Amino acid sequence: MAGLARARRSLLAGVSLGAVVMAAQAWGQSPPEEPFAPVNRRIESSDLSPVQLPPDLWRGLDAGAITKWLAAQTAPPRSPGLAGLWRRLMLAVEEAPPAAAPQPGNEVGLARLEALYRSGLVSEIGEVLAKRGAAGAAAQLWHARIDIGLGAREKGCKTLAGPMASLPSKALRAEKQLLSGYCAAVAGDTRAAALAASLAREEGSTSELALGILGSLDGGVDNRPPLPDRLSLIDYRFLELTGPVDSDRALKEAEPALLVALAGNTALAAKVQVAAAEAALRLNAMPPEAVAKVYRRLPASKSGAAPDRALKRAQLFRDLEETQTPAVRARLTRTLLDEARRAGVLLQTARMLAPAFSNLWPGPDMGVMAESLVQIALVGGQLDLARRWAESAVSLQHWLALIDIADPQARHVQQAGLLSLADLAKRGRISPTALHRVVTVLDALGIDVPLGLWEAAGRVPQPTGGHLPPTGVLGELAQASEQKQAGRTIILAIEALGTDGPDGANILALGDTLKALKRAGLEADARHLALEALLAIWPGTSGS
């Protein structure tokens, strides 16, 4: 087995095909694979029903390092798989992490709340506060901030007006004065609002939009300060004090938390709600299930036409849910998945569609939808269902390989899937980039790579594009995973894969990251990211 491992490394390093074949022959034939017997289960996406992170998650990092990382977080990763892992990591941060000395004012915990807020995960803040018991002045202030931000201003102002102990930092005291000014303005007390603005400035507040509005409430819309380049949720609430806000314009500058709030505001035009929901989905600030609820506010059109592309995708989703005709559903599904791919939300949209097809079984009248349903079930975590659809047609056998790659319980990839994939490679149906990515992923996960795929990959140049992290990151990643430092491994994995996640990473970074996650005990996450790296380039029956 060591000989084959050396052969794998040689091919990825650019050594000749002859050397690879000789090494494989020296090692000998692989033993026959045991028949794969799928169990009746659903493997959830890592951000739906996650595998628990280890209790010593933060071993190797102190409170200062964690706080610094949290301060740099402005949005979840664009990759849905990384975003799910990132979200679990954020929710696992404790006020005083194990092996880290508690800091004055629980700085780690406060930094986590700020990071969640900047990232648009406002509901998760409520989850964190509930878990911590919501004790203390800082928690009380956060409750008020979230309630006001989400439109429950009476509740928020009531919380703010209650007894509150001294806040531990100037930033929190400035925030309290700013929100107190908002509540005074809502009550019509412009003098108290102006005084609160003055006190907020004394505490170091730099929220110029909110401060400017509190100081000039009598001027109305005409006296509004100019909009900043980035518009926060609280900024938007202050803008509302002076009159109606141009939602279309606000969308262009909206931070993630504001996008989530606009998507949930049923008083706004449907176009604004859908555009905000799609923007939040692209940032992974809203889960697909929540975006589906926004889509369902639209009436079914049956026309399939919409001037706006986001509205078009929402309308396709609505029309798909309304029709039961297989041919029409197939057409709508393919169109929606194609539109989602172009918009960069293919994985999220496929997961959105999964519940609508979970009860369908292969049949003579469903063949036209089979390949789309394999993808949807696969992304939705319904692996047994995906296998049934893949087994329903000879032309879909290569999908069995990808299903096994995504399955953390599969120790082998079915021979039928691998043979079908190798045949496609032999016939030139897989691009050079896709070939090398498939080989890289199989090797990183410790899955035997068929010789036919090695040979096909050896005949084409190894791709050099994609994101590579700064020098030293991959070495640190390997070290962290070898030492089972799960939290540090996750942070470095996110940096290694880059903004676009596994499907935009260089194959060296991709392979090293998958190996590291598996080594650190996070194989389910490695498999999920492997699926993400391959889904968009996996060959379809049309040859695409």
Side-chain angles (χ1 to χ4, degrees):
M1 187 170 293
L4 184 58
R6 285 194 297 272
R8 290 176 181 147
R9 288 194 295 270
S10 297
L11 181 60
L12 290 176
V15 175
S16 69
L17 174 63
V20 176
V21 174
M22 289 173 63
Q25 289 173 342
W27 178 76
Q29 293 286 330
S30 300
E33 292 185 2
E34 297 177 1
F36 187 87
V39 294
N40 186 21
R41 74 201 187 289
R42 174 188 175 107
I43 304 298
E44 299 284 355
S45 299
S46 61
D47 52 340
L48 291 179
S49 182
V51 177
Q52 290 296 315
L53 294 173
D56 58 347
L57 177 67
W58 296 108
R59 188 160 50 86
L61 291 171
D62 60 21
I66 298 169
T67 303
K68 182 179 178 180
W69 178 74
L70 289 169
Q73 305 309 300
T74 57
R78 296 294 183 91
S79 150
L82 280 182
L85 190 55
W86 179 90
R87 177 182 177 276
R88 286 159 53 205
L89 186 65
M90 294 282 283
L91 295 181
V93 175
E94 294 296 334
E95 297 283 340
Q103 300 293 308
N106 292 322
E107 283 148 350
V108 170
L110 293 175
R112 175 192 28 195
L113 294 175
E114 288 288 355
L116 288 170
Y117 186 78
R118 289 193 305 272
S119 303
L121 304 182
V122 286
S123 61
E124 281 78 355
I125 293 175
E127 181 181 331
V128 169
L129 291 172
K131 185 178 179 181
R132 301 295 300 176
Q140 190 177 346
L141 178 62
W142 268 103
H143 276 300
R145 187 181 189 183
I146 295 303
D147 286 336
I148 290 172
L150 295 180
R153 63 187 188 186
E154 290 184 9
K155 182 180 178 183
C157 290
K158 184 177 179 181
T159 299
L160 204 61
M164 186 179 294
S166 176
L167 289 160
S169 70
K170 286 177 68 68
L172 290 175
R173 293 193 293 273
E175 184 75 11
K176 180 180 183 295
Q177 292 297 342
L178 209 60
L179 293 178
S180 297
Y182 173 88
C183 293
V186 168
D189 191 342
T190 56
R191 291 184 61 187
L195 176 60
S198 177
L199 293 173
R201 283 191 189 278
E202 289 181 11
E203 293 290 358
S205 176
T206 57
S207 301
E208 293 303 326
L209 180 68
L211 292 168
I213 288 173
L214 288 179
S216 58
L217 283 170
D218 294 335
V221 173
D222 293 337
N223 216 27
R224 274 180 182 168
L227 289 184
D229 292 336
R230 296 290 287 164
L231 190 64
S232 74
L233 176 54
I234 291 299
D235 283 340
Y236 184 83
R237 295 305 176 202
F238 275 90
L239 282 171
E240 288 181 319
L241 294 173
T242 62
V245 181
D246 183 345
S247 298
D248 287 330
R249 186 178 174 194
L251 273 173
K252 296 175 183 177
E253 284 90 23
E255 291 184 344
L258 176 54
L259 291 172
V260 173
L262 293 174
N265 187 349
T266 56
L268 296 174
K271 177 182 176 181
V272 174
Q273 295 176 53
V274 168
E278 282 235 341
L281 182 69
R282 197 171 292 110
L283 295 172
N284 293 308
M286 279 183 77
E289 296 78 10
V291 176
K293 291 180 181 178
V294 178
Y295 285 175
R296 292 189 185 106
R297 295 174 197 157
L298 293 173
S301 71
K302 306 298 183 185
S303 67
D308 178 85
R309 299 203 78 86
L311 269 180
K312 180 180 180 180
R313 287 186 288 275
Q315 200 66 70
L316 284 166
F317 177 85
R318 286 290 293 117
D319 293 349
L320 197 156
E321 285 196 326
E322 289 292 318
T323 185
Q324 297 301 318
T325 307
V328 177
R329 294 193 93 188
R331 175 179 58 79
L332 291 173
T333 302
R334 284 196 301 268
T335 303
L336 178 54
L337 291 177
D338 287 344
E339 287 284 333
R341 182 181 286 105
R342 282 191 285 270
V345 289
L346 173 62
L347 286 147
Q348 296 96 321
T349 302
R351 204 179 96 191
M352 198 186 304
L353 289 170
F357 296 109
S358 60
N359 295 323
L360 285 182
W361 287 73
D365 60 339
M366 299 300 295
V368 69
M369 294 191 67
E371 187 163 43
S372 294
L373 294 182
V374 171
Q375 298 177 63
I376 291 168
L378 180 54
V379 173
Q382 300 166 324
L383 300 188
D384 290 340
L385 182 59
R387 284 192 179 93
R388 292 190 190 104
W389 284 107
E391 290 165 350
S392 69
V394 174
S395 62
L396 301 179
Q397 296 300 292
H398 63 290
W399 283 98
L400 293 170
L402 186 56
I403 295 166
D404 287 344
I405 288 171
D407 188 350
Q409 297 188 27
R411 289 295 168 264
H412 302 285
V413 177
Q414 292 187 71
Q415 193 67 23
L418 288 174
L419 289 174
S420 179
L421 190 62
D423 180 63
L424 290 175
K426 184 178 179 181
R427 292 189 283 127
R429 290 276 305 280
I430 305 178
S431 72
T433 297
L435 263 175
H436 279 283
R437 290 181 85 78
V438 170
V439 168
T440 297
V441 166
L442 289 172
D443 182 70
L445 295 176
I447 298 170
D448 290 336
V449 181
L451 187 57
L453 284 179
W454 281 116
E455 291 175 338
R459 288 192 291 268
V460 294
Q462 181 171 309
T464 58
H467 171 80
L468 270 174
T471 302
V473 170
L474 294 181
E476 289 184 49
L477 175 61
Q479 181 190 58
S481 64
E482 287 165 359
Q483 296 175 0
K484 308 298 182 186
Q485 297 173 345
R488 185 164 166 246
T489 297
I490 294 170
I491 290 172
L492 289 167
I494 292 171
E495 184 176 359
L497 292 179
T499 304
D500 295 326
D503 61 349
N506 180 277
I507 60 170
L508 177 62
L510 174 63
D512 283 6
T513 300
L514 297 182
K515 288 177 184 176
L517 289 171
K518 182 181 177 185
R519 194 185 296 125
L522 299 164
E523 182 170 353
D525 295 288
R527 298 272 188 153
H528 191 78
L529 292 173
L531 168 63
E532 194 170 314
L534 298 178
L535 183 65
I537 58 172
W538 202 253
T541 55
S542 64
S544 57

